[in-house]
Amino acid sequence: MKIVVVGSGGREAALALVLARTAEVVVSPGNPGIPGSVDTDPEHLDADLYVIGPEQPLVDGLADRLRAAGKLVFGPGADGAQVEGSKAFMKDLVRAAGVPTAAYATFTEVEPALAFLRQLSAPWVVKTDGLAAGKGVFVTDDLRAAEADVRQKLSGSSFGPAGQTVIIEEGMTGPEVSLFALCDGTRAVALPPAQDFKRVGEGEVGPNTGGMGAYSPLPWLPDNFADDVIARFVQPTLDELARRGIDYRGVLYAGLMLTDDGPKLVEFNIRFGDPDSQVVLLRMTSDLAVHLAEAAAGDLHTPPTFSDTAAVLVVAAAAGYTGPVRSGDPVEGLTAAGAAEGALVLCAGVGMGDDGHLVTAGGRVLDVVGQGPNGATARARAYAALGHITWPGLLHRTDIAGEIPT
Ligand code: AMP
Ligand code: GLY
């Protein structure tokens, strides 16, 4: 089978690596650190299956255009992509589906928004409606700061038109879990849960990022957790999408918070998480190409299987992340890191320097993964491998998967 993976980050590097176990893989556009990367528009590439990694091309209708050309595509059309493209759409959808989630309201005017905000208690949560590259969500224990964020978002100065509708949500607290479900329009199959570390600073402080690290499995979850999430969150949502005439084929990624009142949905995304899916996909022992092709064809029937081993991923980011980052620093030590015991390195934000050497070219530059019989060994291997890698200002957290409860 020939597969085109669309995207250029660590998630696509992992998809390509795992799919290449059984298929011929091309990555569009990929990056100079991902084998099989080609600088050709995916619509100009011929393949048996197209796997679309990031949300933006899905929201822009790439899956629809490929399907209209008769292609087999893993990823929702623009109709299903509204689940991530509009938080207001997603909240309305899951409310109709009866999914447990935070109470919320949507506003375009400042005064009613502030009045609603003041009725809630900490933490206060203010979100932009549209895509904002993971940076449109503000969670704070300071009501004044939340009020200022509402004013700023509604003025259109922070996220442009995406920010001109805000969602104010009841704040939830508890550990977060990512659950990826493969969907074929009517059926959903869960992959093992993962956890990612969202804040830039040690101890989960500082600004939200796309994710600074991740691990899987989560030995502290109840055995029936994934089944329960499918039954109470994913399947009702897929059914509600179908009721609305949306044939959803791709990933539904449930971001869940385990509150004192049980698991609640933080959000659904329409794609694999980055970096949280990498640690799940790398543990797969069945054929990912088969699962994705079945989902794309509306015929999921082969159950995915996973090894009992653990995977821990640590992101190596460029100087300045999450703000403007410096690019062009030579990445040293990749070969030694990749050769370290139980380790592999996925290239995310890398470019090609003038001398043919990989250089930093983005915020999250590399995903360094350790695998082993348990979380502690996997973690030690990830950090040992990371120790080989250098560039000026390399930034990483030292506390990823530091205390995995058993
Ligand atoms: P989102 O982009 O909606 O996933 O939000 C990004 C992050 O903000 C989540 O992963 C949570 O850590 C946090 N967050 C979002 N919504 C809430 C909420 N209602 N209560 C507490 N934290 C939240
Ligand atoms: N790691 C969080 C996300 O992909 O949205």
Side-chain angles (χ1 to χ4, degrees):
M1 194 183 333
K2 182 168 177 192
I3 302 178
V4 171
V5 173
V6 178
S8 62
R11 167 185 49 212
E12 289 74 29
L15 282 165
L17 186 71
V18 176
L19 288 168
R21 292 173 185 164
T22 59
E24 183 191 339
V25 180
V26 166
V27 188
S28 165
N31 69 52
I34 303 180
S37 294
V38 293
D39 199 10
T40 308
D41 184 327
E43 291 176 78
H44 297 145
L45 291 167
D46 194 34
D48 304 303
L49 175 67
Y50 297 74
V51 177
I52 303 173
E55 61 277 17
Q56 192 69 58
L58 292 165
V59 169
D60 294 343
L62 178 58
D64 301 306
R65 295 195 300 278
L66 289 166
R67 286 193 179 105
K71 309 294 190 184
L72 189 62
V73 185
F74 182 81
D79 53 0
Q82 293 173 90
V83 169
E84 185 164 352
S86 163
K87 288 194 193 283
F89 177 90
M90 187 263 291
K91 286 298 240 179
D92 177 66
L93 179 79
V94 301
R95 178 150 63 183
V99 167
T101 188
Y104 73 99
T106 303
F107 300 93
T108 53
E109 303 292 334
V110 173
E111 285 313 319
L114 295 181
F116 183 74
L117 192 69
R118 289 172 191 142
Q119 289 167 22
L120 300 174
S121 47
W124 288 277
V125 181
V126 183
K127 301 185 176 185
T128 56
D129 181 48
L131 289 181
K135 289 171 187 150
V137 177
F138 185 56
V139 181
T140 178
D141 287 328
D142 178 350
L143 179 58
R144 295 274 164 268
E147 290 177 358
D149 191 60
V150 167
R151 290 182 206 282
Q152 199 189 8
K153 280 178 173 147
L154 284 179
S155 72
S157 60
S158 22
F159 293 101
Q164 283 168 10
T165 299
V166 298
I167 298 188
I168 296 179
E169 269 186 27
E170 175 198 352
M172 304 183 286
T173 48
E176 289 183 60
V177 172
S178 304
L179 195 287
F180 307 107
L182 308 181
C183 301
D184 73 355
T186 54
R187 279 159 295 204
V189 175
L191 309 187
Q195 192 169 55
D196 76 346
F197 294 76
K198 294 176 195 293
R199 306 287 184 117
V200 74
E202 310 275 324
E204 280 296 289
V205 297
N208 257 325
T209 70
M212 293 299 286
Y215 72 98
S216 177
L218 309 184
W220 45 276
L221 284 175
D223 285 344
N224 65 349
F225 182 83
D227 292 342
D228 182 52
V229 173
I230 294 291
R232 294 199 301 132
F233 294 79
V234 178
Q235 192 65 52
T237 302
L238 193 57
D239 293 345
E240 179 61 26
L241 283 163
R243 257 194 299 280
R244 296 180 182 201
I246 298 177
D247 183 7
Y248 191 98
R249 301 183 190 195
V251 185
L252 267 179
Y253 159 7
L256 301 152
M257 196 169 274
L258 309 189
T259 73
D260 290 342
D261 300 329
K264 288 198 180 177
L265 186 79
V266 177
E267 62 168 356
F268 271 123
N269 293 314
I270 58 172
R271 53 177 172 84
F272 285 112
D274 185 351
D276 23 352
S277 70
Q278 283 89 308
V279 287
V280 175
L281 295 170
L282 289 168
R283 295 179 49 233
M284 187 176 269
T285 47
S286 49
D287 188 341
L288 179 61
V290 166
H291 302 311
L292 301 188
E294 286 182 2
D299 184 26
L300 264 180
H301 59 270
T302 307
T305 56
F306 291 85
S307 86
D308 291 333
T309 57
V312 172
L313 179 154
V314 183
V315 169
Y321 189 67
T322 58
V325 293
R326 196 173 65 206
S327 291
D329 287 320
V331 175
E332 307 290 354
L334 260 185
T335 309
E341 185 181 10
L344 63 90
V345 181
L346 302 168
C347 289
V350 300
M352 188 60 84
D354 294 338
D355 59 355
H357 197 94
L358 291 181
V359 297
T360 63
R364 295 185 293 175
V365 178
L366 301 176
D367 298 340
V368 184
V369 185
Q371 290 179 272
N374 54 51
T377 305
R379 174 176 197 273
R381 288 174 171 174
Y383 278 106
L386 182 60
H388 292 286
I389 295 171
T390 55
W391 63 78
L394 186 159
L395 176 83
H396 70 84
R397 278 180 58 172
T398 63
D399 62 345
I400 301 302
E403 290 167 34
I404 302 176
T406 49

